Amino acid sequence: QKEVEQNSGPLSVPEGAIASLNCTYSDRGSQSFFWYRQYSGKSPELIMSIYSNGDKEDGRFTAQLNKASQYVSLLIRDSQPSDSATYLCAVTQGGSEKLVFGKGMKLTVNP
Amino acid sequence: GAGVSQSPSNKVTEKGKDVELRCDPISGHTALYWYRQSLGQGLEFLIYFQGNSAPDKSGLPSDRFSAERTGGSVSTLTIQRTQQEDSAVYLCASSLGVSGRARGETQYFGPGTRLLVL
């Protein structure tokens, strides 16, 4: 099983700060990368998708992909208490439609 | 429009009983996936459908697990002779499946079925 690793966390940041979430993956054939947010007791919801090296910005969220180093990150600017959730990194590996998920990083934004 | 729906939302069963979990994907989505999330574990892939076919069943943990999809829409995941280690949240997701392929597409998740095996 090819792996997707996330820092074990949890991560706690004050309101208004930047939260940085990191993910590494082992399969160099991976082609598609996703960040999902999961509130406690709820199902995952898509935050960002990224397919090419570089940065992709959407509002307060920026996804960064570096295929050479096999990592993908998510930055959350101006963090809000409502951002408190578990963030899941997911990767579509080469030759497969399934998503391989990391174990998630729990983020707490303190007012 | 309506999202992915799953039923039941919660299921409590006794060890050894069979259970059926249902997933209704987003209308028009031809790709459907089942995942499992256990306490303290990440999301674990079980099976992928494209239309009514299952080209990837690699995640089914044992032959007690099976799934089918009919009419290119509703899918049923069946667990026979349930064991306590089957207790988990079972999540269904769907994606467009453009041109019969789903690689790299965004998957939209349903609310899940919480299964507890006593």
Side-chain angles (χ1 to χ4, degrees):
Chain A
Q1 169 75 354
K2 303 297 178 66
E3 294 184 348
V4 177
E5 301 280 351
Q6 294 183 248
N7 292 347
S8 58
L11 176 64
S12 182
V13 300
E15 184 174 356
I18 295 175
S20 178
L21 308 169
N22 300 309
C23 173
T24 59
Y25 58 94
S26 61
D27 183 6
R28 284 198 172 274
S30 297
Q31 299 173 342
S32 308
F33 307 86
F34 304 88
W35 283 99
Y36 282 84
R37 177 175 64 196
Q38 188 174 27
Y39 291 114
S40 181
K42 302 294 186 182
S43 60
E45 57 178 325
L46 182 73
I47 297 295
M48 294 281 286
S49 59
I50 187 166
Y51 303 94
S52 304
N53 279 329
D55 294 359
K56 179 181 177 182
E57 187 173 319
D58 184 1
R60 296 186 295 111
F61 299 93
T62 299
Q64 299 174 318
L65 174 61
N66 184 324
K67 290 186 178 180
S69 301
Q70 295 176 241
Y71 86 81
V72 57
S73 64
L74 180 70
L75 298 178
I76 307 174
R77 290 182 300 281
D78 187 24
S79 295
Q80 301 297 308
S82 59
D83 295 326
S84 298
T86 296
Y87 289 79
L88 301 168
C89 174
V91 174
T92 302
Q93 296 174 332
S96 173
E97 283 78 10
K98 68 183 181 186
L99 288 174
V100 179
F101 284 84
K103 291 194 174 181
M105 163 76 88
K106 184 174 182 179
L107 170 67
T108 299
V109 180
N110 300 304
Chain B
V4 178
S5 60
Q6 293 186 245
S7 61
S9 53
N10 291 281
K11 178 71 176 180
V12 180
T13 191
E14 294 179 348
K15 178 181 172 181
K17 301 276 188 176
D18 298 351
V19 296
E20 283 190 354
L21 312 180
R22 175 188 167 110
C23 172
D24 208 332
I26 293 172
S27 179
H29 280 195
T30 63
L32 185 148
Y33 315 78
W34 284 97
Y35 294 87
R36 177 170 73 172
Q37 189 170 34
S38 306
L39 191 63
Q41 299 294 317
L43 273 147
E44 173 190 17
F45 168 80
L46 298 177
I47 187 169
Y48 154 63
F49 286 93
Q50 180 60 53
N52 292 335
S53 301
D56 190 349
K57 307 178 183 179
S58 62
L60 294 178
S62 75
D63 59 7
R64 296 187 296 105
F65 288 72
S66 62
E68 65 175 11
R69 190 178 184 195
T70 56
S73 181
V74 172
S75 176
T76 302
L77 177 69
T78 301
I79 309 173
Q80 295 178 312
R81 304 181 303 281
T82 51
Q83 303 295 311
Q84 289 180 332
E85 61 263 28
D86 299 334
S87 297
V89 177
Y90 289 81
L91 289 158
C92 177
S94 71
S95 69
L96 274 171
V98 175
S99 300
R101 293 169 57 91
R103 199 162 301 164
E105 293 182 339
T106 296
Q107 297 180 21
Y108 298 91
F109 283 83
T113 293
R114 295 179 180 277
L115 175 65
L116 178 61
V117 182
L118 300 176

